[in-house]
Amino acid sequence: MADKITRPRPKKDRLRRTMMFMNAQRPGLIKDAYIYGVDSIILDLEDAVAVNQKDAARFSLYHALTTIDYGDTEVIVRINGLDTEYWQEDVRVCVAGGADGIRIAKCESADMVRQVEAAVEAAEREFGVEVGRTLLMAALESPLGIMNAYEICTASDRMLGCAISGGDFRQSMHVQIEPDGIEMQAARSQMLLAARAAGVQCLDTMFPNLDDEEGFRREVDLVARMGFDGKSVINPKQIAYIHEKFAPTQKQIAHAENIARSCRAQSEAGIGVYVVDGKMVDPPFYKEAERIIELAKKCGVYHGDL
């Protein structure tokens, strides 16, 4: 019998440009999910699985977690909502199998995060998993979830970030998808501010219409400009464009390098404000330059020497 796959301790600040949803009950889909180059996969025990198939899905999930080497691809599991009878057993299987993180569906309060956290810690102790290893993220799917975003994001040290679920949120707001994204603008902005204030990542919802390539690209461009860390996907063909748009351009990288080099030189000379590429910069610009260079390295698009 093959040894159980052991995954390294997950990192809260890792690259998450893309999170691809996959039905945990479909072995044919999840066994090779890492080949697409997605940053994270979300093995779904919630909406994708019929009520009478929950036990079968957990069995499939555990088998996948313990026998498939996903390499550098992060593995997160979306558990059933806390208003169901399924979520606690979902947590136990996730922890026992060694999932990197758990996505809390329909999260609306800090108390919900703490409830899941307690169940996760109990499972870690039960199965001999390092306490604190399993990360959490919150799916905000309602107006109440968005309004409580900061409290949710700061409810646990395990929180890696939050993500908005567009389908449920739009339904709760009685709106449809609009070409300019106006129906999601307020929620996206508030969630993004909360995540940044909390120091965690912020992920956008998936784009459901696979035949609308123009609409997909327009939405990716929008959320990338807004400052999101990444976006959920439902099809591998969406990955490449998102990765391109969430990576720094060579122009941005070159400017960041100029700022970094100039800052070091000017600091040694005791100068706090100076000009780089025709623009006045000061210490906060240096921090942003460092962030861009580090992001470029993670995305594999940095070819400099800093």
Side-chain angles (χ1 to χ4, degrees):
M1 181 180 294
D3 293 335
K4 175 181 174 181
I5 295 293
T6 301
R7 296 181 59 79
R9 185 183 178 95
K11 298 180 180 179
K12 289 173 64 174
D13 62 347
R14 63 160 288 151
L15 197 63
R16 294 186 180 91
R17 298 162 297 180
T18 46
M19 285 187 162
M20 185 164 67
F21 280 93
M22 311 201 82
N23 187 338
Q25 196 184 357
R26 302 281 298 278
L29 292 177
I30 64 178
K31 69 182 181 67
D32 296 324
Y34 57 89
I35 68 174
Y36 301 116
V38 67
D39 292 326
S40 307
I41 59 171
I42 299 179
L43 301 180
D44 191 13
L45 292 174
E46 194 209 14
D47 288 346
V49 179
V51 169
N52 64 355
Q53 295 296 312
K54 298 295 185 183
D55 289 336
R58 289 192 204 99
F59 183 85
S60 174
L61 170 70
Y62 182 79
H63 181 75
L65 290 173
T66 56
T67 63
I68 300 174
D69 184 359
Y70 287 102
D72 294 332
T73 304
E74 182 180 52
V75 183
I76 292 176
V77 179
R78 179 166 74 169
I79 62 173
N80 286 278
L82 273 63
D83 59 343
T84 73
E85 61 185 277
Y86 311 112
W87 74 271
Q88 289 174 305
E89 192 61 25
D90 291 347
V91 167
R92 293 183 69 249
V93 171
C94 291
V95 174
D100 295 321
I102 290 173
R103 178 171 169 131
I104 306 170
K106 300 177 176 64
C107 190
E108 294 189 323
S109 69
D111 284 343
M112 293 179 72
V113 175
R114 288 189 282 265
Q115 192 175 354
V116 174
E117 180 180 42
V120 168
E121 182 170 337
E124 288 173 337
R125 296 184 186 281
E126 177 184 358
F127 297 109
V129 176
E130 179 187 359
V131 173
R133 181 194 180 279
T134 313
L135 300 179
L136 299 176
M137 68 176 297
L140 309 183
E141 309 185 30
S142 69
L144 183 57
I146 295 296
M147 295 295 289
N148 290 334
Y150 179 74
E151 289 77 10
I152 289 169
C153 289
T154 55
S156 169
D157 289 338
R158 297 174 184 261
M159 289 293 289
L160 66 87
C162 59
I164 191 166
S165 178
D168 291 270
F169 181 78
R170 291 184 183 100
Q171 184 180 31
S172 69
M173 294 295 290
H174 310 155
V175 296
Q176 303 296 320
I177 297 177
E178 298 292 343
D180 59 0
I182 187 64
E183 83 288 1
M184 295 277 288
Q185 190 70 27
R188 281 175 169 143
S189 297
Q190 183 157 331
M191 183 180 73
L192 188 56
L193 286 170
R196 289 290 172 264
V200 299
Q201 293 185 357
C202 193
L203 294 305
D204 189 49
T205 187
M206 57 87 175
F207 187 81
N209 189 349
L210 296 178
D211 294 326
D212 184 5
E213 182 68 16
E214 181 181 347
F216 165 70
R217 292 185 174 228
R218 185 168 55 241
E219 185 166 280
V220 173
D221 295 350
L222 170 66
V223 297
R225 293 200 311 272
M226 288 183 70
F228 278 78
D229 294 292
K231 188 169 178 62
S232 299
V233 300
I234 55 174
N235 191 287
K237 74 177 187 179
Q238 297 176 324
I239 295 170
Y241 188 76
I242 295 175
H243 283 191
E244 175 188 342
K245 286 300 177 179
F246 279 89
T249 66
Q250 290 304 310
K251 182 178 179 180
Q252 289 173 321
I253 295 170
H255 184 58
E257 287 180 315
N258 290 340
I259 290 177
R261 291 192 178 96
S262 297
C263 183
R264 294 171 186 175
Q266 299 297 343
S267 295
E268 292 175 0
I271 300 173
V273 179
Y274 43 92
V275 176
V276 176
D277 296 337
K279 299 177 181 178
M280 188 171 67
V281 301
D282 56 13
F285 284 83
Y286 178 63
K287 292 182 180 180
E288 177 62 8
E290 285 188 313
R291 186 194 69 82
I292 290 174
I293 292 172
E294 182 60 27
L295 177 59
K297 290 177 180 178
K298 288 182 179 179
C299 293
V301 296
Y302 184 72
H303 310 294
D305 55 4
L306 291 179

